[in-house]
Amino acid sequence: MVGGGAFNLPSDMAAAANSGPVILGWLITGIGMIALVLVFHNLTNRKAELDGGIYGYTRAGFGEYLGFNSAYGYWMSTLLGNLAFFTLLFSSLSYFFPIFGEGNNLPSIIASSALLWAVHALILSGVKEASLVNLITTIGKMIPIFVFLVLIVFAFHYDVFLQDFWGPDTRGFDWKIVKEQVKETMLVTLWTFVGVEGAVVMSGRAKKKKDVGRATVIGLLGTMTIYILISILSLGVMSRSKLADLKAPSLAYVLEHVVGPWGAVLINIGLIVSIAGALLGWTLLAIELPYVAGREGVFPSWFAKENKNGSPSASLWVSNGIVQLFIIIVLFSESTYQIVYSMASVAILLPYLFSALYQVKLVGTGETYEKGDSRTKDMIIGLIASLYSMWLVYAAGLDYLLLTAVIYATGLFLYGKARAEKGEKWFRPGESLLALFILGAAVFAIYMMWIGQIQPGA
């Protein structure tokens, strides 16, 4: 989870909202993400046979085609997440080497490509070996974050934090302004938590299933504490307008404002270490789900191929090939870190929503529950997680939802190939209407981009 999002939280949150709405945004996110994590925890225990969890829940509860879309959307989200990390990494390196600009120019593209295939080679040597490197980088990235939090406490000023608390140039609480600002924080906060389901996705490699739920809950509570402290304390050090204008990674420039240039150097080094680990971790997530889906016949079977070291080699080659294509596209589209992570966040909404709905369905049908078991708590948690996921869909906005339809539409070929391998028709009753809806939305999105009506990040 702690990849690039934490290192740009000060400016991302300040660009979205003032101090009061930021607190409300974290409150909503905290309740929603805790509910989602408890859903993952519960489903991991009750449906331990479903490897790859987050997509398996959708498939088991709502059919083959929605299950495929959940897997495909999650896969695309992780690939876009890696693209966001590359962009932020070289934007950070530009502090030391200005040649990299904002991380989306030609030198950045060349360097990103080289790093991509270095990570590729490491994972081919074995998943366990790559996970060990990820553990080392996790320790390395937490040190500068903790230094930041300790030092920033002494620079915090209540008058700066309370300035325009509920909104710009307002004397008090205006729900219309507050609601819009809270809504603007949602994709930012969601992005920082994407990855919380990582233990569930990798559940097929766990020695004990109970460790999957435990790792998920501990991971969420730890990172949530870090994120809230970073965003709130930063709003008490610099004004919202100054924070919003900071270059990525803004955490570096907030600490530079407090202690001088060495603070920016420390944070930038920490971010480089962090993203190195995040690239590994996210690539492992990206290749695991297609691998499991290929093994279960939801993706074409060749996704399930392994090399002699037990790495999902076919899934890895396809995944990194797509990331390489994304990297090249960034050069010509000049996409920024914020635009890419927003796309990644929206693409993952379907897997989150249907995981929550699956818990509601299990409680309703009584499946996995013994006679006399109380289901009330699980139903409440499932409903909260479902409502939070629906709120995120609303908060994402029409532009990003339409662009996500384009992503989902590109998966139709893979779905058809997987169905053909099993000698089955492409769609079951009712699924064809959903496919037509996705295709229609994708065509409309492409047309709106063509005429300039959809401009992400504008």
Side-chain angles (χ1 to χ4, degrees), residues 84-128:
F85 289 143
F86 280 120
T87 306
L88 183 58
L89 172 61
F90 289 97
S91 174
S92 177
L93 278 170
S94 70
Y95 184 85
F96 306 104
F97 310 102
I99 189 175
F100 292 122
E102 293 187 12
N104 57 357
N105 57 11
L106 183 59
S108 298
I109 302 306
I110 294 171
S112 294
S113 300
L115 180 57
L116 170 69
W117 296 106
V119 170
H120 180 93
L122 177 60
I123 294 176
L124 281 178
S125 68
V127 171
K128 290 183 179 180

Side-chain angles (χ1 to χ4, degrees), residues 333-344 400 403 455-458:
S333 66
E334 297 186 351
S335 297
T336 63
Y337 167 68
Q338 286 81 2
I339 293 173
V340 178
Y341 82 59
S342 295
M343 287 285 292
Y400 278 114
L403 288 171
Q455 298 177 344

Side-chain angles (χ1 to χ4, degrees), residues 296-320:
E296 296 182 352
V298 178
F299 273 29
S301 58
W302 44 265
F303 273 94
K305 292 181 179 178
E306 297 181 347
N307 67 4
K308 63 182 180 180
N309 297 316
S311 292
S313 52
S315 178
L316 179 64
W317 279 102
V318 176
S319 298
N320 281 346

